[in-house]
Amino acid sequence: MSTVATGTPEPEPQRETKPASDLMKGPVTVKMGPKGVEITDIDGCFRFASVVHNSGLAPKGLASPQAIMIAIQMGAELGMKPMTAIQNIAVINGRPSIWGDAMLAVCMKSNFFDHESFRERIEEIDGVPTAFCTARRIGSPAITQDFSMDDAKKAGLLEKNTPWQTYEKRMLKFRARSWALRDCFPDVLLGLRGAEEQMDCIDHSAAEAPETLDDLTEKLQGPPPPPLPGPPPPPLPADKTEAAEPAPNPPTPDEVASDQTELTEDFSREIAKATTMGRLADLSAAIGKAMASDAITVRQANELRELVKAAKGRFSKT
């Protein structure tokens, strides 16, 4: 009896995954060569990273076997041996970077590095120590970068308790070198910054969240227009008139005129401070409501509308 295929594919078998702790179990072989450990698989890498972590010799910033494995991997992409990568890949402000001497070593191993053109020097320019670094990629013109103590002062580097206080010439040299090598060999360095430069960067991870569009719109529109006077309260029932407090005396014509003048002045100030066409439209609507409720007179409303019209004309010119 023949069967008919339904067309429903069979589910793929699930891959077996190992927890990190299991990577240290089982018969894992880590070979030793003429230059030390030779890592051939991820299990051997984790075993080696765990040994370095437990030895206490891992640099600050590589606080777990997993972090050490990432440093080994990044170093491998740059052509480094495992221990060389661990000692020269630094995690600063949450970003991997490479120390200045190792950066130069990686670039010098590149087939595109022009050894004869590479120059570093420190000179006094108008009494200011300035470091220069010239590097050249074969087939391209030479690039020279400089960094001075004035640049360090503008960047606020001299105000920190860092090597800039005690080894200023060395730090100047590293900064100029980092810029020149990164410009010449971005494909070799794979976007890594010099660790000396990364130490001077500000950590923005804890910075306040940026303002939202609603926050910015509220700032542009300015404060809301002054509130309009509300309707008078309803009269008390006849049976409660005796127990109620006496009603206040109605405002005199002079008091009404004073209130109208004060509200008109408030509107005038808001029109003068308006920074958007939308704000002027809101004020124009509020003026109409104020006139309808006798909060301002018709003449005052017309004068305010002329101010709004003039303000709109000012925006249209700009």
Side-chain angles (χ1 to χ4, degrees):
M1 181 176 181
S2 61
T3 58
V4 180
T6 61
T8 304
E10 296 182 0
E12 296 183 0
Q14 295 183 353
R15 296 180 179 179
E16 181 180 357
T17 58
K18 298 180 180 180
S21 58
D22 288 350
L23 294 176
M24 286 292 293
K25 300 176 181 179
V28 177
T29 302
V30 180
K31 297 181 180 180
M32 293 291 293
K35 294 186 177 181
V37 173
E38 294 181 353
I39 297 175
T40 59
D41 54 40
I42 192 170
D43 290 347
C45 183
F46 188 84
R47 179 182 290 271
F48 178 73
S50 298
V51 171
V52 174
H53 174 66
N54 293 332
S55 71
L57 297 179
K60 184 179 180 181
L62 302 179
S64 66
Q66 290 83 356
I68 296 174
M69 286 182 66
I70 297 302
I72 293 174
Q73 173 60 31
M74 295 193 67
E77 294 179 11
L78 296 174
M80 294 180 178
K81 295 291 185 179
M83 281 305 299
T84 304
I86 292 172
Q87 295 301 320
N88 289 283
I89 299 296
V91 178
I92 301 173
N93 290 337
R95 179 172 178 172
S97 54
I98 182 171
W99 292 106
D101 291 330
M103 174 184 284
L104 179 57
V106 169
C107 293
M108 282 184 166
K109 291 176 64 176
S110 169
N111 294 330
F112 296 102
F113 189 88
D114 186 351
H115 293 263
E116 296 182 357
S117 300
F118 184 74
R119 297 287 185 276
E120 288 182 309
R121 69 186 190 277
I122 296 179
E123 297 180 2
E124 295 276 342
I125 306 297
D126 296 331
V128 180
T130 305
F132 295 86
C133 180
T134 300
R136 178 177 175 271
R137 184 188 185 95
I138 295 176
S140 302
I143 293 178
T144 299
Q145 291 287 2
D146 63 271
F147 198 83
S148 67
M149 289 301 292
D150 283 346
D151 296 327
K153 186 181 297 183
K154 290 178 183 177
L157 305 181
L158 306 183
E159 301 174 0
K160 304 176 182 178
N161 185 20
T162 64
W164 282 98
Q165 304 289 339
T166 51
Y167 305 105
E168 60 180 42
K169 291 185 179 180
R170 189 71 173 168
M171 298 302 290
L172 288 173
K173 182 179 180 180
F174 280 141
R175 183 59 64 90
R177 175 190 295 178
S178 173
W179 287 0
L181 294 180
R182 286 168 57 196
D183 288 346
C184 283
F185 306 100
D187 55 331
V188 176
L189 295 173
L190 304 177
L192 287 181
R193 283 185 177 181
E196 295 82 5
E197 179 182 357
Q198 188 65 26
M199 286 192 303
D200 298 329
C201 294
I202 299 175
D203 183 8
H204 295 282
S205 60
E208 295 182 359
E211 292 182 310
T212 63
L213 181 60
D214 293 338
D215 296 333
L216 296 175
T217 303
E218 183 177 353
K219 283 188 175 181
L220 288 175
Q221 289 182 347
L228 300 176
L236 294 173
D239 56 343
K240 295 185 179 181
T241 303
E242 296 180 356
E245 296 181 359
N249 295 327
T252 63
D254 291 340
E255 291 176 343
V256 173
S258 177
D259 292 341
Q260 292 173 338
T261 301
E262 184 177 353
L263 184 56
T264 302
E265 292 175 351
D266 291 339
F267 273 120
S268 299
R269 284 192 291 268
E270 293 298 322
I271 293 170
K273 291 190 299 183
T275 57
T276 63
M277 293 291 285
R279 177 65 174 155
L280 291 174
D282 293 340
L283 289 170
S284 181
I287 291 170
K289 293 180 180 179
M291 183 187 70
S293 61
D294 293 330
I296 58 176
T297 64
V298 175
R299 179 180 61 80
Q300 290 170 333
N302 291 333
E303 292 175 354
L304 293 172
R305 285 168 176 162
E306 288 296 324
L307 291 177
V308 172
K309 182 178 180 181
K312 291 181 177 179
R314 183 177 73 246
F315 283 124
S316 62
K317 291 180 180 178
T318 58

